[in-house]
Amino acid sequence: MRGEVKNVTGVVDLDVTGIINYLDQTVLIIPTPKPAVGRSQILKILEQAKNSPESHQMVCLHRLKSIAGRNEISSRTHLHAAGAVEFLTSVLTKSDAVSRDEALSVLNQIELSDSELKKLSSESSYCGFMTSLMKVLETGNDESRAQAITLLKSVFDVADPENLIGSKPELFKQITRILKDKISPQATKSALKLLVELCPWGRNRIKAAEGGAVTALVEMLLEVSEKRVCELVLTILDQLCGCAEGRAEFLRHAAGVAVVSKKILRVSRVASERGVRILCSISKHSSGNTKVVGEMMEVGVVTKLCLVVQVERSGKMKERAKEILRNHSRVWKDSSCIPPHLLSSYPSPS
């Protein structure tokens, strides 16, 4: 009885005895699972880190990162129970940039609970924590900046209103930088969601507008095709166009009106509703501005609004579209920009 065994050099013709000898010489490598890390071991690592110079602290941080990266529920549970979050937060707020980046990486890996995130936003630790993250956002590498914005988003999700209202203008500048730099899809989404969370509070819309957010968002809208990102961008622009500073920045961008109009009826219902709301805000405050009204006609806003009136059976989006058309009916009604088949959709002036 003979057989064939394939090896790296080709096919070797062997008899039964040869096959047995071949298998005897073959070493099967079976990976040995790493033993679970207990709480006592983590406590020992933390104790060493606290009582060692900063040069040795990095060794301990690497060990904690290795434990957190195992994706084992038990290991992460032990990290939380042993006080790793408190230690890492201390490193984040008191150490040099290298240690700070490493601590931030571990904090993101171990998935902080709501109570731990709430503690970071509490009065006793908030200032130091925010100062440290702002340094990372300003001077860190792309990876650490992405981790910082993700952690910030998680903290603000559970923060008290006073923390949201008290957000500094510099924060909005750094969020805008994240959007412009396109570090990663996850960082971009975290930055957008953070703006959605922050903008409704206090004077945050003004801070965001003055920090360059409107321009960055319009530029994103020109390039992005992903539905969820479009919806987030249009939601924030809708919020920012609720203040004079936001509307001014929006109209200052040559493509603002056109790109918002383009997204209506092309992305999703949510995107369409936000787009019409933005145009409604611009329309209400541009009645005497012939330049803006003329631009809306030239870039196809009138045609798009007539389409909304035609395809929407009812609801606020249809009513807002009608309101915009009525507000400027004297200018737009007889315009050649409206296709004849849509003229029947043009609402009568009230």
Side-chain angles (χ1 to χ4, degrees), residues 47 98 111 113 124 145 176 214 224-225 236 245 279 282:
E47 193 64 32
V98 177
E111 299 177 3
S113 65
S124 58
R145 289 172 66 207
T176 299
V214 175
V224 72
S225 58
I236 301 163
E245 292 80 0
L279 296 178
I282 298 300

Side-chain angles (χ1 to χ4, degrees), residues 54 58 61 91-92 94-104 132 135-136 139-141 144:
E54 284 198 14
M58 278 300 294
L61 286 170
V91 173
L92 183 65
K94 296 178 182 178
S95 300
D96 59 27
V98 177
S99 297
R100 185 167 60 233
D101 288 350
E102 195 71 6
L104 181 59
S132 299
K135 286 180 181 177
V136 174
T139 63
N141 57 40
S144 61

Side-chain angles (χ1 to χ4, degrees), residues 28-312:
L28 296 177
I29 301 174
I30 301 174
T32 304
K34 294 180 180 180
V37 179
R39 182 182 175 186
S40 59
Q41 291 172 275
I42 296 172
L43 284 169
K44 186 176 180 180
I45 295 171
L46 293 175
E47 193 64 32
Q48 289 175 345
K50 292 172 184 176
N51 297 320
S52 300
E54 284 198 14
S55 57
H56 183 72
Q57 193 175 73
M58 278 300 294
V59 176
C60 298
L61 286 170
H62 284 314
R63 292 174 69 187
L64 292 174
K65 187 175 183 178
S66 176
I67 295 169
R70 291 185 175 196
N71 290 323
E72 299 170 354
I73 296 176
S74 60
S75 295
R76 291 181 179 178
T77 300
H78 291 317
L79 283 166
H80 288 280
V85 174
E86 289 80 1
F87 167 71
L88 293 166
T89 304
S90 175
V91 173
L92 183 65
T93 56
K94 296 178 182 178
S95 300
D96 59 27
V98 177
S99 297
R100 185 167 60 233
D101 288 350
E102 195 71 6
L104 181 59
S105 177
V106 183
L107 279 171
N108 274 287
Q109 277 187 303
I110 63 178
E111 299 177 3
L112 303 186
S113 65
D114 284 356
S115 60
E116 288 167 332
L117 292 168
K118 191 81 172 176
K119 190 173 181 180
L120 289 177
S121 68
S122 65
E123 186 177 350
S124 58
S125 58
Y126 183 72
C127 290
F129 170 74
M130 283 297 297
T131 300
S132 299
L133 287 190
M134 292 303 293
K135 286 180 181 177
V136 174
L137 289 172
E138 186 175 0
T139 63
N141 57 40
D142 285 354
E143 183 179 1
S144 61
R145 289 172 66 207
Q147 291 167 345
I149 200 70
T150 299
L151 182 56
L152 264 177
K153 188 263 176 189
S154 298
V155 169
F156 277 113
D157 279 346
V158 299
D160 293 327
E162 55 263 30
N163 294 133
L164 299 168
I165 294 170
S167 299
K168 304 296 182 184
E170 182 62 25
L171 172 60
F172 294 93
K173 292 179 182 178
Q174 295 304 332
I175 295 173
T176 299
R177 278 189 64 212
I178 294 287
L179 296 178
K180 288 181 176 179
D181 292 347
K182 304 173 187 175
I183 295 172
S184 70
Q186 181 57 48
T188 296
K189 285 185 180 179
S190 293
L192 291 172
K193 290 176 182 177
L194 184 52
L195 282 176
V196 171
E197 185 73 33
L198 290 171
C199 284
W201 297 91
R203 294 174 56 83
N204 287 347
R205 292 180 301 179
I206 298 173
K207 297 172 192 174
E210 292 176 345
V214 175
T215 300
L217 291 165
V218 172
E219 294 292 333
M220 282 188 67
L221 211 54
L222 286 167
E223 300 176 0
V224 72
S225 58
E226 186 182 340
K227 183 181 83 168
R228 181 56 180 152
V229 175
C230 280
E231 290 174 348
L232 287 169
V233 171
L234 288 166
T235 296
I236 301 163
L237 284 174
D238 176 27
Q239 293 172 337
L240 297 181
C241 285
C243 68
E245 292 80 0
R247 290 190 296 273
E249 289 298 315
F250 179 78
L251 291 173
R252 195 169 286 127
H253 197 294
V257 173
V259 72
V260 167
S261 175
K262 184 179 179 181
K263 296 299 180 182
I264 296 172
L265 300 180
R266 285 193 175 190
V267 179
S268 68
R269 184 169 186 81
V270 170
S272 296
E273 289 174 346
R274 298 295 183 271
V276 171
R277 282 172 60 96
I278 292 166
L279 296 178
C280 192
S281 294
I282 298 300
S283 171
K284 282 180 179 178
H285 297 87
S286 302
S287 296
N289 191 328
T290 55
K291 182 180 177 181
V292 174
V293 174
E295 180 188 354
M296 293 175 77
M297 182 169 57
E298 290 170 7
V299 300
V301 170
V302 184
T303 300
K304 185 60 67 78
L305 292 173
C306 286
L307 276 171
V308 171
V309 173
Q310 188 176 61
V311 302
E312 285 292 308

Side-chain angles (χ1 to χ4, degrees), residues 320-333:
R320 287 194 179 96
K322 283 184 174 182
E323 179 184 347
I324 300 169
L325 292 170
R326 279 194 295 262
N327 286 344
H328 304 293
S329 60
R330 291 182 180 178
V331 179
W332 293 344
K333 186 70 167 67

